[in-house]
Amino acid sequence: MLVVSAAVSLFAAGLLAGVHLTGRLMLVPLLRSLPYERYVPVKQRLDRDAPRLARPLLLTALAVTAVTVAVAVLTRSTAGAVPGVAAVAALVALVVTLVAVLRGDLPINVVMGGWDVSDPPSDWERTRARWEHFFVIRVVATSVAAVALLVAIVAVVVNGRAAG
């Protein structure tokens, strides 16, 4: 049961990490290359459309990882401590992702959503850099979550082979 729960968690967290990593490696450099008047409409469109994918992925990853933590606690005597510790680390990393979204990305996106293409704010580049900072936090946190869940799965499999 633990390996199945962890695999479902890894699938959701891995997809989320992949979306974030792709965004960091491909989308952010593209956005950074745009002048203000082209950056704003693209960023505003992304901020309107991206949550349709990212929000359900993050909430699903949080929910199934919380279930994985519960299963790990309930099966600790047979699976050992490593899967539970790894699952807790993954859950903490996903909570960090959520906090980065709620305390960083969303407030900045609201500010950017009010920008006028013909009237750049004097600090628009600094605001963009702050948004990129929170995006990096999300990339790292979701990647940590995916790796931690992989560790949990490997620990369960190795423990199962050692016991069998």
Side-chain angles (χ1 to χ4, degrees):
M1 176 70 174
L2 179 55
V3 75
V4 172
S5 177
V8 173
S9 297
L10 175 58
F11 181 74
L15 280 175
L16 188 61
V19 166
H20 282 98
L21 193 57
T22 300
R24 179 63 191 110
L25 296 176
M26 298 175 73
L27 188 60
V28 170
L30 173 68
L31 287 170
R32 195 162 251 290
S33 73
L34 297 175
Y36 174 83
E37 63 276 358
R38 294 190 62 204
Y39 173 84
V40 170
V42 172
K43 179 70 169 77
Q44 289 173 344
R45 176 70 185 260
L46 284 169
D47 290 346
R48 193 171 51 248
D49 294 346
R52 291 183 196 148
L53 172 65
R55 184 178 297 130
L57 274 177
L58 176 55
L59 295 177
T60 299
L62 279 162
V64 295
T65 303
V67 169
T68 300
V69 168
V71 172
V73 167
L74 294 173
T75 61
R76 183 169 185 246
S77 61
T78 58
V82 172
V85 171
V88 168
L91 186 58
V92 168
L94 291 170
V95 169
V96 167
T97 302
L98 181 62
V99 170
V101 168
L102 295 176
R103 302 285 292 169
D105 291 331
L106 290 181
I108 295 169
N109 289 347
V110 168
V111 169
M112 290 177 160
W115 285 354
D116 181 350
V117 173
S118 62
D119 186 24
S122 60
D123 66 342
W124 82 272
E125 289 173 316
R126 187 175 61 208
T127 303
R128 178 184 64 189
R130 282 186 54 238
W131 178 86
E132 290 172 355
H133 169 76
F134 283 102
F135 193 77
V136 167
I137 291 170
R138 288 172 29 206
V139 170
V140 171
T142 56
S143 298
V144 165
V147 170
L149 289 163
L150 183 59
V151 167
I153 291 169
V154 170
V156 170
V157 171
V158 167
N159 191 331
R161 286 189 182 153

